[in-house]
Amino acid sequence: MNVFVLDTNKKSQNPVHPAKARLLLTEGKAAVFRQFPFTIILKETVLDVASNPLRIKIDPGSKDTGIAVINDDTGEIVFAMELRHRGQQIKNNLESRRAIRRSRRNRKTRYRKPRFDNRTRAEGWLPPSLKSRVYNIETWVNRLCRFCNIQAISMELVRFDMQKIQNPEISGVAYQQGELMGYEVREYLLEKWDRTCAYCGKTDIPLEIEHIVPKSKGGSNRVSNLTLACTACNRKKGNKSLEHFLSRKPRLLKRIQKQSKVPLKDAGAVNTTRWDLFRTLKKTGLPVETGSGGLTKFNRTTRGLHKTHWLDAACVGKSTPEKIFQIDKTVLIVKADGHGSRQMCRVNKFGFPRTTAKSTEKKVKGFQTGDIVKAVVNSGKKVGTYIGRVAVRKSGSFNIKTVDKTVQGISWKYCRLLHASDGYSYNTTC
């Protein structure tokens, strides 16, 4: 993962290799501007050098979104990250709040006349759990546009054909036997069954589409009746019923029956937000290229790349270079945590307050909960260096959560801010 560079006027320059950035910092020619994504700012004025045009590529997902910044001319992946959304957490929080609100209304205003249809929604409204995915991607696209010379955007617009997944016979022969024949169903099954054989659990082998209820016994082609199996298991099962084939494996039988009924929730989330995301990206003023999931898979397969979210993103669209490479294999893992809660006080399971109202002042001694700090303690029982997220207290005695433990009672005087809280947590993988 290359390092972003800004000049003295905070204008983006060509990203540099981490070794080059380390040299500039050591020689005092640059300073750290931002930790995530790691960005340095030059202390001296440089000649006007035209920075290379780059492209952001996005592979939207229900839970994880892959984002890659790529140089179309050289095929180099300049920056790669995986963004983990918090849509399910938002949904759970809203449901919990709704349950508490209804319980409170039942206690306090049980005789109030019910009111319906007293709220209107704007055109294009999306539930908060889905809209958060669009906001997360928009935030990171805008950030990357500030740190490097982004000239174009590519995104995967179509992933699954929902009607074709539910009923493969829904359309005519021309669509059935086109270039994407069987792709929609097969690609969905690969994700639904984690790319493993449902019967033996083997991975990284050729998998075949298998009918849970054989067609000879009235089984349909609906996705709820399909699974994946290796060649050996498929032949062994033949036209046996699932109950007969797994009569000696009741746990596996129960798991497959449960998994086959899993709803198309993730596919629905992607399809629901795709056009809203497309319109949001168009507002940046940059040209937006769209591609299908079939094209992404074709690009990744022909270039010999393994499947990850960020490599899928690098292969989105027709603009994908013939050769793709990355000098440094480090990938930034970003998890959306939110900016806290507007709830003034915490409640118990019955909806009654269990804490006092929180303070309107978020910062204590210049720090706020969620900041990434570095504390160097030179004396006392807690001598050492600690880097992690801080939880502030009015007393000035903070808690710091490091990678492996939580250190309590660290004075604010020992803390130095590394990265201000921005609603995301960060990790890296190689």
Side-chain angles (χ1 to χ4, degrees):
M1 183 167 57
N2 288 357
V3 177
F4 296 123
V5 181
L6 301 177
D7 64 9
T8 52
N9 298 318
K10 297 184 180 180
K11 183 179 178 181
S12 61
Q13 303 293 308
N14 286 324
V16 298
H17 190 276
K20 175 67 174 178
R22 196 178 302 114
L23 183 63
L24 291 172
L25 292 172
T26 303
E27 294 178 349
K29 295 181 180 180
V32 176
F33 181 78
R34 186 182 179 89
Q35 287 285 340
F36 304 102
F38 193 74
T39 309
I40 62 174
I41 183 168
L42 301 176
K43 294 182 178 180
E44 300 176 356
T45 305
V46 295
L47 297 177
D48 257 348
V49 179
S51 54
N52 298 327
L54 302 174
R55 177 186 294 269
I56 292 182
K57 294 198 166 193
I58 304 169
D59 176 34
S62 171
K63 299 177 182 177
D64 300 272
T65 291
I67 298 178
V69 177
I70 191 169
N71 188 326
D72 288 339
D73 296 331
T74 63
E76 178 189 357
I77 300 177
V78 175
F79 174 80
M81 63 173 282
E82 292 185 2
L83 177 59
R84 295 177 179 170
H85 302 292
R86 58 189 294 263
Q88 188 61 41
Q89 180 185 350
I90 292 174
K91 180 177 181 294
N92 294 339
N93 290 343
L94 291 175
E95 288 179 347
S96 174
R97 188 178 71 177
R98 180 178 62 181
I100 292 173
R101 180 175 64 245
R102 288 184 174 180
S103 174
R104 182 172 61 249
R105 284 178 176 172
N106 185 54
R107 296 194 309 267
K108 303 293 185 183
T109 57
R110 65 181 67 182
Y111 300 113
R112 189 188 73 172
K113 184 179 179 180
R115 292 179 292 180
F116 302 96
D117 297 332
N118 60 337
R119 297 176 181 87
T120 58
R121 292 171 177 171
E123 184 179 354
W125 176 89
L126 286 176
S129 58
L130 297 181
K131 191 66 176 179
S132 69
R133 296 177 173 91
V134 179
Y135 286 148
N136 293 157
I137 297 174
E138 180 187 16
T139 296
W140 278 94
V141 167
N142 291 333
R143 285 185 184 180
L144 294 174
C145 287
R146 292 200 304 267
F147 300 142
C148 55
N149 183 23
I150 301 296
Q151 294 296 319
I153 301 174
S154 297
M155 67 166 287
E156 188 177 280
L157 183 64
V158 180
R159 187 61 180 270
F160 300 119
D161 187 332
M162 300 293 288
Q163 289 182 322
K164 184 170 175 57
I165 286 176
Q166 289 283 24
N167 184 7
E169 287 84 13
I170 196 169
S171 56
V173 176
Y175 184 78
Q176 290 277 86
Q177 298 179 356
E179 293 182 357
L180 293 180
M181 178 181 177
Y183 163 73
E184 300 290 349
V185 173
R186 182 174 180 81
E187 185 66 13
Y188 176 74
L189 290 174
L190 286 171
E191 295 204 5
K192 180 177 180 179
W193 295 92
D194 295 327
R195 301 177 184 272
T196 62
C197 175
Y199 302 126
C200 65
K202 291 182 180 178
T203 58
D204 300 326
I205 58 173
L207 297 173
E208 301 174 353
I209 296 179
E210 149 72 10
H211 290 77
I212 297 176
V213 179
K215 294 190 71 174
S216 61
K217 295 185 178 180
S220 68
N221 287 329
R222 293 181 67 86
V223 73
S224 57
N225 190 46
L226 300 178
T227 184
L228 294 174
C230 63
T231 304
C233 291
N234 197 4
R235 290 179 179 176
K236 187 176 179 180
K237 180 175 181 292
N239 64 345
K240 299 177 184 176
S241 65
L242 185 66
E243 292 77 8
H244 176 61
F245 180 61
L246 298 177
S247 58
R248 297 184 180 182
K249 299 179 180 179
R251 289 186 179 179
L252 180 59
L253 172 62
K254 186 177 180 180
R255 184 181 68 82
I256 292 177
Q257 290 175 335
K258 181 180 178 181
Q259 182 71 10
S260 65
K261 297 178 182 178
V262 171
L264 309 176
K265 182 175 66 172
D266 290 339
V270 175
N271 279 2
T272 303
T273 58
R274 57 180 178 168
W275 286 110
D276 190 67
L277 176 60
F278 176 76
R279 289 189 290 268
T280 300
L281 296 178
K282 290 287 285 185
K283 292 178 182 178
T284 61
L286 299 174
V288 180
E289 174 196 41
T290 60
S292 68
L295 180 60
T296 300
K297 185 176 181 179
F298 174 79
N299 289 338
R300 175 170 51 81
T301 304
T302 55
R303 288 156 181 78
L305 303 174
H306 59 279
K307 180 170 178 59
T308 60
H309 294 292
W310 62 275
L311 280 176
D312 274 349
C315 296
V316 168
K318 294 182 179 179
S319 63
T320 305
E322 289 299 323
K323 292 184 179 180
I324 297 178
F325 68 95
Q326 186 184 24
I327 296 176
D328 185 14
K329 301 300 181 183
T330 304
V331 177
L332 183 65
I333 306 298
V334 181
K335 181 182 177 183
D337 293 327
H339 292 274
S341 171
R342 292 180 295 177
Q343 190 174 4
M344 288 304 297
C345 63
R346 302 300 179 188
V347 296
N348 58 20
K349 63 180 181 179
F350 302 107
F352 292 98
R354 62 178 177 83
T355 62
T356 58
K358 63 183 180 183
S359 173
T360 56
E361 290 293 331
K362 284 189 174 182
K363 291 196 173 184
V364 176
K365 306 295 183 181
F367 300 93
Q368 75 176 53
T369 299
D371 289 346
I372 299 176
V373 300
K374 179 179 181 180
V376 181
V377 183
N378 299 319
S379 60
K381 296 181 180 180
K382 298 177 177 128
V383 174
T385 302
Y386 309 102
I387 299 177
R389 292 196 172 272
V390 65
V392 301
R393 300 290 182 272
K394 286 184 179 180
S395 61
S397 179
F398 299 161
N399 295 345
I400 299 178
K401 185 177 182 180
T402 62
V403 176
D404 54 350
K405 61 180 180 179
T406 299
V407 185
Q408 300 182 353
I410 302 296
S411 174
W412 67 273
K413 297 179 181 179
Y414 298 119
C415 297
R416 180 170 65 87
L417 181 66
L418 296 180
H419 187 86
S421 174
D422 58 358
Y424 298 91
S425 57
Y426 303 92
N427 200 353
T428 56
T429 181
C430 297

